[in-house]
Amino acid sequence: MNEQDFLAGYDPRDYPAVAVTVDVVALTIRDGALHLLLIRRGAPPYAGHWALPGGFVQPDEDLATGARRELAEETGLGGERLRRVHLEQLGSYGAPDRDPRMRVVSVAHLAFAPDLPEPVADTDADEAIWLPVTALTSRQLAFDHGRIIDDGLERARSKLEYTPLATRFLAPEFTITELREVYETVWGHPLHAGNFHRKVLSVPGFVESTGGSTERGGARGGPRAKLYRAGDARLLHPALLRPAREETVR
Amino acid sequence: MNEQDFLAGYDPRDYPAVAVTVDVVALTIRDGALHLLLIRRGAPPYAGHWALPGGFVQPDEDLATGARRELAEETGLGGERLRRVHLEQLGSYGAPDRDPRMRVVSVAHLAFAPDLPEPVADTDADEAIWLPVTALTSRQLAFDHGRIIDDGLERARSKLEYTPLATRFLAPEFTITELREVYETVWGHPLHAGNFHRKVLSVPGFVESTGGSTERGGARGGPRAKLYRAGDARLLHPALLRPAREETVR
DNA sequence: TTGAGAACAACTCAATCTGAGAACAACTTA
DNA sequence: TAAGTTGTTCTCAGATTGAGTTGTTCTCAA
């Protein structure tokens, strides 16, 4: 039976109540470590557990708009700085028993943000914080948010391979070394600096030179690095593939 | 307030009514062309237009289960043959005005199926048919299903690059040529037979030899081809990348 | 002021991978 | 039996990759 026939002469209240929420896996890099925006829940269910920022989708807003609104509320961000955050849909989670209160389908989103100020307490006044992803165990997480976060992290690692979205973790102008550090942080292992440099500059539209340089060399020495901004490519061709991992070697 | 008190005082009806449906972009290959399972709508809105098979998610079923159920209803498939169909979540579509009757969030899924019998008329008795994707214009499609189909096709093209899912369009045993034809059909351009052969056999876990061969050579001659079955890899390393297209050359 | 160490950028080189074509045997149909 | 087709393997030049080296510019501390 399809939805259209079902809905002809519909009354929404005839059908099982389903709530639709948007949740956001917001990632940023602070102090060389990948961090995740989390809320400490003050009320049941899962009081005291960490949860993803999120909430009900409003009647007049698109899913992406709702996700961006939730992100804005939790980070206190607005305007140009909010607009620079990359936001994409991650997937929907709708196991019948994932929320003990009622049937809730959550449309999860994934956000890449440059280093941001500390999050602000929401109107709901739960504690909000950037937490290193390494500090998480799924035991501390509400609902199926551990699973959603795992999926988000894997999506993030994968997206760096074939899109230029690593630049979204950085300020508008950045050095190749900073860009490499994004990859190293998200992928979790070091890359060869020289080869990375060559590769980034050889992929059309990945980065473009600003002509400028950093004010100073590195913290412990070295020349001033050239500055780049994101290019206009939406996909990287050829891609920057992760080195094969053990599980792929078979 | 403890969890029990909270749940007791919780009224789902306090929240905006949203309907959640599952829709399926089901792809198969017939006669060397990519086909899509579509339903002809009998009733308004969009009467006479083509639409994706789909319907309400049931109170006790997961999203993926709902999608598989819709697919089963529309194809008449069951058991082992249904189980062999690859099904994954594509994304959710929830623009406030995408359905003129009420707020409907559709969780779209993507399915890869081997060549199947003609679809059966559903209980709803709308016409169901496998349609070549080249025969579609979005003008003929209901709701935002044109957009969903476009996203599904792009996802399919991309998935063939880094997963072994092309095998899901084929019978359990297949030849390298048949596998290449899947790629050519989905990607829409011919591939070099020799290089494809070399590449497929060199990727660990993509295919494994059955030891057997086809009964006959090709329709117009040639030797018998060796038979393979899908290997146990879930990802292809290294990936089978599509040749760069114009838009990527910049 | 200078020496030591660090880091950016460019280069080298061997190993590997890719694209394009050719070879050849096993099969088909006419 | 001849002619054409196809599956598979091989060849080879060009591109890409991984790993290391070099040269230079800079910071910090003696």
Side-chain angles (χ1 to χ4, degrees):
Chain A
M1 185 176 298
N2 71 32
E3 98 217 41
Q4 296 80 24
D5 293 343
F6 218 83
L7 280 171
Y10 80 102
D11 177 353
R13 302 273 160 153
D14 289 347
Y15 301 103
V18 181
V20 175
T21 61
V22 284
D23 288 323
V24 183
V25 177
L27 302 177
T28 195
I29 294 177
R30 320 187 105 195
D31 310 320
L34 194 59
H35 284 62
L36 174 67
L37 183 63
L38 288 176
I39 308 294
R40 168 103 65 180
R41 290 181 58 83
Y46 292 101
H49 290 236
W50 294 108
L52 295 172
F56 289 101
V57 60
Q58 298 300 306
D60 58 345
E61 75 186 355
D62 196 1
L63 299 173
T65 307
R68 201 169 283 273
R69 173 180 52 75
E70 292 291 344
L71 188 61
E73 288 174 7
E74 230 62 63
T75 59
L77 229 60
E80 179 57 24
R81 296 195 67 182
L82 180 61
R83 216 167 299 123
R84 276 222 317 277
V85 174
H86 167 74
L87 189 71
E88 67 179 47
Q89 196 183 104
L90 176 60
S92 296
Y93 297 79
D97 57 353
R98 63 181 291 278
D99 189 311
R101 293 166 292 186
M102 66 178 293
R103 184 73 191 264
V104 177
V105 172
S106 169
V107 183
H109 289 71
L110 179 64
F112 297 163
D115 196 357
L116 298 175
E118 281 299 328
V120 296
D122 186 6
T123 47
D124 284 335
D126 289 325
E127 185 187 359
I129 200 172
W130 289 104
L131 213 64
V133 295
T134 53
L136 283 174
T137 66
S138 66
R139 219 172 297 275
Q140 306 166 297
L141 289 162
F143 309 106
D144 52 1
H145 289 188
R147 171 95 195 294
I148 297 176
I149 291 166
D150 287 345
D151 291 348
L153 291 175
E154 181 49 35
R155 171 80 69 89
R157 286 189 282 262
S158 164
K159 277 273 172 168
L160 293 207
E161 291 191 292
Y162 61 94
T163 72
L165 291 173
T167 59
R168 299 302 198 97
F169 286 108
L170 299 171
E173 300 198 351
F174 51 85
T175 68
I176 301 292
T177 295
E178 287 167 344
L179 185 61
R180 177 168 48 79
E181 285 165 351
V182 172
Y183 277 88
E184 292 176 335
T185 301
V186 175
W187 285 352
H189 53 77
L191 298 173
H192 181 121
N195 292 342
F196 182 85
H197 206 281
R198 174 182 62 187
K199 177 78 184 186
V200 166
L201 295 185
S202 77
V203 174
F206 192 177
V207 299
E208 55 189 36
S209 175
T210 67
S213 299
T214 51
E215 289 284 314
R216 303 185 21 125
R220 281 169 297 180
R224 297 174 184 182
K226 295 179 191 168
L227 287 170
Y228 296 84
R229 68 175 77 90
D232 54 6
R234 324 265 322 242
L235 292 174
L236 303 181
H237 276 274
L240 258 141
L241 298 177
R242 280 180 273 186
R245 296 144 98 209
E246 315 76 54
E247 67 202 30
T248 66
V249 175
R250 301 191 57 251
Chain B
M1 191 190 296
N2 66 27
E3 300 237 350
Q4 285 207 330
D5 292 344
F6 180 84
L7 290 176
Y10 192 86
D11 183 1
R13 305 240 156 163
D14 291 346
Y15 298 99
V18 181
V20 175
T21 63
V22 285
D23 289 324
V24 183
V25 178
L27 303 177
T28 195
I29 294 177
R30 319 187 106 195
D31 309 321
L34 193 60
H35 284 61
L36 175 67
L37 183 63
L38 288 176
I39 307 294
R40 168 104 64 180
R41 290 180 54 81
Y46 295 102
H49 289 236
W50 294 108
L52 295 172
F56 284 104
V57 60
Q58 298 300 307
D60 57 346
E61 75 185 357
D62 197 1
L63 299 172
T65 307
R68 201 169 283 272
R69 174 179 53 74
E70 293 291 343
L71 187 62
E73 288 174 7
E74 230 62 64
T75 58
L77 230 60
E80 179 55 26
R81 297 195 64 181
L82 180 61
R83 216 167 300 123
R84 277 223 314 278
V85 174
H86 168 73
L87 189 72
E88 66 179 48
Q89 195 183 105
L90 176 59
S92 295
Y93 296 79
D97 57 353
R98 62 182 292 277
D99 189 308
R101 291 159 299 184
M102 67 177 292
R103 184 73 191 265
V104 178
V105 172
S106 169
V107 184
H109 289 71
L110 179 64
F112 297 165
D115 196 359
L116 298 176
E118 282 299 329
V120 295
D122 187 3
T123 48
D124 281 333
D126 285 328
E127 187 185 0
I129 199 171
W130 289 105
L131 214 65
V133 296
T134 52
L136 283 173
T137 66
S138 67
R139 218 173 297 275
Q140 306 166 296
L141 289 163
F143 309 105
D144 53 1
H145 289 188
R147 172 94 197 293
I148 297 175
I149 291 166
D150 287 345
D151 291 348
L153 292 175
E154 181 48 35
R155 171 80 70 89
R157 285 188 282 263
S158 164
K159 276 274 173 168
L160 293 208
E161 292 192 293
Y162 62 94
T163 73
L165 291 173
T167 59
R168 299 302 197 98
F169 286 107
L170 298 170
E173 299 199 350
F174 51 84
T175 67
I176 301 292
T177 295
E178 287 168 342
L179 186 62
R180 176 168 48 80
E181 286 166 351
V182 171
Y183 277 88
E184 291 176 336
T185 301
V186 175
W187 285 353
H189 53 76
L191 299 174
H192 185 290
N195 292 342
F196 181 84
H197 208 282
R198 174 181 62 189
K199 177 79 184 185
V200 167
L201 295 185
S202 78
V203 175
F206 192 0
V207 299
E208 56 189 35
S209 175
T210 67
S213 298
T214 50
E215 289 284 314
R216 302 186 22 126
R220 280 168 299 182
R224 298 174 182 178
K226 295 179 190 167
L227 287 171
Y228 296 84
R229 67 175 77 89
D232 54 7
R234 323 263 325 239
L235 291 173
L236 302 182
H237 276 274
L240 259 140
L241 298 176
R242 281 179 273 185
R245 296 144 98 208
E246 315 74 57
E247 68 203 28
T248 67
V249 175
R250 300 190 60 249

